[in-house]
Amino acid sequence: MLIVVLALAALAYFLPSFKSNAPDADPETEEVAARRQPVGPTFSADSAMAFCQAQCDFGPRTMNSPAHEQCGGWIAKKFASYGLEVSLQKADLTGYDGTTLHSTNIIASYRPEATDRLLVCAHWDSRPWADNDPDSANWHKPVMAANDGASGVAVMLELARLLSSDSLALGVDFICFDAEDWGTPQWSNQGGDSNSWALGAQYWAANPHRQGYTARFGVLLDMVGGAGARFYKEQYSQQFANKIVRKVWRAADVVGFGSLFPNRDGEYITDDHLPVNQRANIPCIDIIAYYPDCPQSGFGPTWHTINDDMQHLNPAVLQAVGQTMVQVIWSE
């Protein structure tokens, strides 16, 4: 996960706040009201947990590492096993410190022939440095990234599995963005640079896997399995795609997980959805965990620490996000 950006573009880390506790001023149309019934199959949290474990079994998927290459191959094969068309977008990108990052965006397409499409995305790389760990001795150790990386990919894989046994007229593209978490570490003397994050998403937004690619909307899944997580309305998401925010939060309420999607504002978060909005011109929102009362980080106590592991995941949170996404996709 990336950095928090407060209003007026002032950069700051871990400042929990929200603007409003007021009801969403979005009167329902008859069409929306008609969709207030659960649709689609049941999302399996056990399956999603297994997908998280499988990624972590490779070790931290840091850029340029054997674990990164091996896990990327596994993710691509897993999507292909569900009948999706898989393509690999490879690029050598430059990290904040000048390191050449051998990046691979993994794109898996359900019904690739359909012109009407949805986009679901997450990042799959691991943070190379646990630079927010309470123990400074861990700041240069890699993060396992069970939540901050693996959880979003796991939800997408389970959605792909469910789609493989269904027949929707709509096309769906799952994109696993690479090189998201090589952003400038806190211990660096080079200063914070928001452009050092989300490198794979930046590359894809400028070079989509299909010329002229577009989608009705996109949903980014980031840190969607952590214990105690709730999902506030991220500010850039509301700025660029407020209708999609309302759609997703209504879906969460319909399937019984409204308590994990409170009608409250979060922060401005620099994440993979920004280049999707700004460069690809696809309205895209960020479903991202927010802990307003956590003193260590607004992203939760395990964010960018060595404790971002399987023991700190909660299958009930994966279930909430996954079933919400089923409602969103199958309602379309």
Side-chain angles (χ1 to χ4, degrees):
M1 186 42 246
L2 305 182
I3 58 176
V4 179
V5 185
L6 297 181
L8 302 180
L11 300 180
Y13 285 89
F14 330 131
L15 296 179
S17 67
F18 53 83
K19 284 186 177 179
S20 171
N21 197 21
D24 198 16
D26 180 36
E28 288 187 343
T29 64
E30 290 184 5
E31 179 185 5
V32 169
R35 293 181 181 180
R36 280 196 168 271
Q37 296 295 328
V39 297
T42 299
F43 185 91
S44 172
D46 289 342
S47 179
M49 285 289 287
F51 291 144
C52 287
Q53 182 68 66
Q55 293 171 79
C56 291
D57 285 345
F58 290 101
R61 285 81 60 209
T62 56
M63 300 301 299
N64 301 342
S65 70
H68 177 267
E69 294 306 305
Q70 293 163 8
C71 185
W74 177 84
I75 292 171
K77 289 178 181 177
K78 203 66 181 176
F79 276 119
S81 74
Y82 298 132
L84 277 68
E85 179 181 276
V86 177
S87 60
L88 305 179
Q89 184 184 54
K90 293 184 176 291
D92 284 346
L93 308 175
T94 303
Y96 82 96
D97 55 354
T99 299
T100 297
L101 307 175
H102 304 302
S103 171
T104 303
N105 290 330
I106 304 168
I107 300 105
S109 298
Y110 170 80
R111 294 208 60 189
E113 75 283 358
T115 57
D116 196 8
R117 312 198 63 77
L118 300 182
L119 171 63
V120 186
C121 49
H123 80 90
W124 69 277
D125 61 308
S126 296
R127 178 74 168 161
W129 319 283
D131 56 329
N132 198 53
D133 199 279
D135 185 351
S136 61
N138 295 325
W139 286 356
H140 291 266
K141 295 179 181 179
V143 177
M144 181 57 74
N147 188 32
D148 191 2
S151 66
V153 174
V155 169
M156 294 198 301
L157 285 169
E158 175 60 6
L159 291 171
R161 187 186 72 83
L162 295 174
L163 283 168
S164 70
S165 59
D166 213 325
S167 180
L168 299 183
L170 196 67
V172 181
D173 296 295
F174 298 100
I175 301 185
C176 303
F177 288 126
D178 205 357
E180 187 263 8
D181 239 342
W182 195 273
T184 310
Q186 296 181 53
W187 44 255
S188 171
N189 60 6
Q190 299 192 30
D193 178 4
S194 61
N195 289 324
S196 66
W197 304 84
L199 298 180
Q202 290 183 53
Y203 183 83
W204 176 86
N207 307 274
H209 62 288
R210 290 188 178 181
Q211 186 174 5
Y213 176 83
T214 190
R216 288 187 185 180
F217 60 85
V219 178
L220 172 64
L221 307 174
D222 199 350
M223 299 193 296
V224 291
R230 291 200 298 168
F231 304 95
Y232 287 53
K233 296 178 175 181
E234 190 272 331
Q235 291 284 318
Y236 282 126
S237 301
Q238 295 188 84
Q239 176 181 324
F240 287 104
N242 196 34
K243 289 183 179 179
I244 310 308
V245 172
R246 296 198 299 267
K247 179 195 295 283
V248 172
W249 262 246
R250 279 196 298 259
D253 187 57
V254 168
V255 296
F257 294 107
S259 63
L260 270 69
F261 287 76
N263 185 32
R264 296 183 179 179
D265 293 345
E267 296 289 356
Y268 287 90
I269 310 298
T270 300
D271 208 346
D272 286 323
H273 67 312
L274 269 187
V276 175
N277 279 294
Q278 293 174 329
R279 300 200 66 175
N281 295 314
I282 296 171
C284 185
I285 74 165
D286 195 0
I287 297 180
I288 182 167
Y290 182 53
Y291 296 72
D293 300 318
C294 179
Q296 186 173 331
S297 167
F299 299 129
T302 68
W303 176 73
H304 291 183
T305 75
I306 63 170
N307 292 318
D308 184 0
D309 53 25
M310 290 297 299
Q311 286 67 44
H312 291 90
L313 293 186
N314 184 347
V317 176
L318 289 169
Q319 177 75 46
V321 175
Q323 200 63 54
T324 296
M325 287 304 300
V326 167
Q327 183 71 18
V328 170
I329 294 171
W330 270 258
S331 291
E332 290 293 311

